[in-house]
Structure formats: structure tokens, C-alpha cells
Amino acid sequence: LTYVALEAPEPFRKRELALDTLQLPAEGLARCAVSLVQGLDGAGEKRVEYWQNRIRPYLKDIWPKSVDAVTRSVANSFTRLCMKTDRAFPDAVSELKPWLSKATAGDVTLHEFRGTKLSERFPEAALTFLNAVVRENSFYLADDLKVCLDEIRGAKSDLENDPRFERLTRYARQLGG
């Protein structure tokens, strides 16, 4: 269903696809979210275009709008989706932010995010992303969080006074970073 919506919507009406998607159980939505990540991965060098021309319209026109419809599994896929959008990262974070807070520490690793260097390239969006996915009482590697915060500070020092930055810095200290 997801691939049909992403690749060949002409024979189908978006409204029909949206209604069918809305009827999916939580497991089905989770599989759709994984399919979005796989589709973006398959786009290779054209990830930004794939995000803009396929995934973003899919999320706008077909994906269920209720935040309640998003399970932790879907949220985890959406965090991976954000991390894989390359130059479209700020747009992806803005679009997916309402669903990112349900992500879990076990599936979303700061180590993976740290390796993307998105904190250096897009400090404001990275701070929004980290603030959404890093929850208190979750296990994260303090060094990875500290590196991401240092990259944000290095790229845009005025964010150091942002309440989100301060919260994450306090949390990194609590973890031992």
C-alpha cells in the first residue's frame, strides 16, 4: 500500500489510499513507516528529491493525522527517516516533530545520529530533533549526546542559551557526560 502510494498514485485516488491507510492496525502502520525509510534508502543520491516529491506529499495527503495513531515503532522509523533525509533534515524534523517524542532509546541511538554530522550542518533542527527524542529516564550514551551538543554549540553558539539546549546539557551531565 505504501509503495503504491509513493510510486504510482495515478490509478488510485489519494483519498482512497488515505482511507485504506487509516484502516490499518498499528502493525500495518509500523510496516508502512519502515517502507518509507526503505524507500528513502533506495533513493540513494536523490534522497532530498525523494523526500520532497514522494514522502512529504504522502505524509501530507495519505498518512493518518492523529498523533495517537503513531506507536513507538512508527516514531522510531520516523526518527530514522529524519536522519536519512540529508539536506532536507530541517524540513523532515519540522514535518515529523509531533511524532518523534514517542521514540524509544532502545531503537533510536544517539550514536547513529552523531555519525550523521547533522548537528553541525543544521544546528537548530538538530536541537529540535534531540529535544524531541531524548527523554528523561532513558538510557543514552552521554558521550554521544555531549558531542552532538558541542557540534550544535560550535555551529550556532547562541543556541547554548536555548531552554532545550540547557535541558539536554543537564541530562548529559546526569548521565555522566
Side-chain angles (χ1 to χ4, degrees):
L1 185 63
T2 304
Y3 288 118
V4 167
L6 288 172
E7 301 298 335
E10 293 81 22
F12 301 95
R13 290 188 170 155
K14 288 181 182 179
R15 181 170 162 68
E16 291 169 342
L17 289 167
L19 289 172
D20 288 344
T21 303
L22 188 60
Q23 299 302 315
L24 291 173
E27 256 180 53
L29 287 175
R31 290 180 59 103
C32 288
V34 168
S35 295
L36 293 174
V37 176
Q38 291 170 341
L40 191 63
D41 269 342
E45 302 267 330
K46 299 203 180 263
R47 277 184 267 156
V48 172
E49 293 83 2
Y50 196 81
W51 163 261
Q52 292 170 340
N53 299 322
R54 302 287 185 179
I55 295 177
R56 193 169 203 276
Y58 171 85
L59 293 169
K60 180 181 175 248
D61 298 331
I62 297 169
W63 187 261
K65 303 303 177 257
S66 172
V67 176
D68 296 333
V70 177
T71 62
R72 291 186 338 202
S73 178
V74 169
N76 291 334
S77 290
F78 282 177
T79 59
R80 286 189 180 87
L81 195 61
C82 284
M83 288 189 283
K84 292 176 180 290
T85 57
D86 194 36
R87 294 184 323 272
F89 178 72
D91 185 50
V93 169
S94 176
E95 186 73 26
L96 296 170
K97 181 183 170 192
W99 295 295
L100 296 178
S101 64
K102 289 192 177 184
T104 58
D107 291 319
V108 180
T109 65
L110 280 176
H111 187 71
E112 184 180 353
F113 182 70
R114 174 183 174 181
T116 66
K117 298 294 184 186
L118 290 167
S119 296
E120 290 176 355
R121 295 172 54 204
F122 308 105
E124 182 76 40
L127 183 57
T128 299
F129 177 83
L130 289 171
N131 189 59
V133 300
V134 175
R135 295 277 141 242
E136 304 291 326
N137 302 319
S138 298
F139 176 75
Y140 289 100
L141 299 175
D143 290 341
D144 289 329
L145 180 55
K146 185 177 179 321
V147 167
C148 292
L149 292 171
D150 288 345
E151 289 173 352
I152 290 169
R153 181 186 301 117
K156 193 170 181 188
S157 61
D158 62 322
L159 288 176
E160 189 173 27
N161 299 317
D162 186 295
R164 299 169 299 170
F165 189 93
E166 292 171 352
R167 180 188 78 81
L168 291 167
T169 300
R170 277 192 308 276
Y171 189 56
R173 280 192 212 117
Q174 288 174 359
L175 291 172

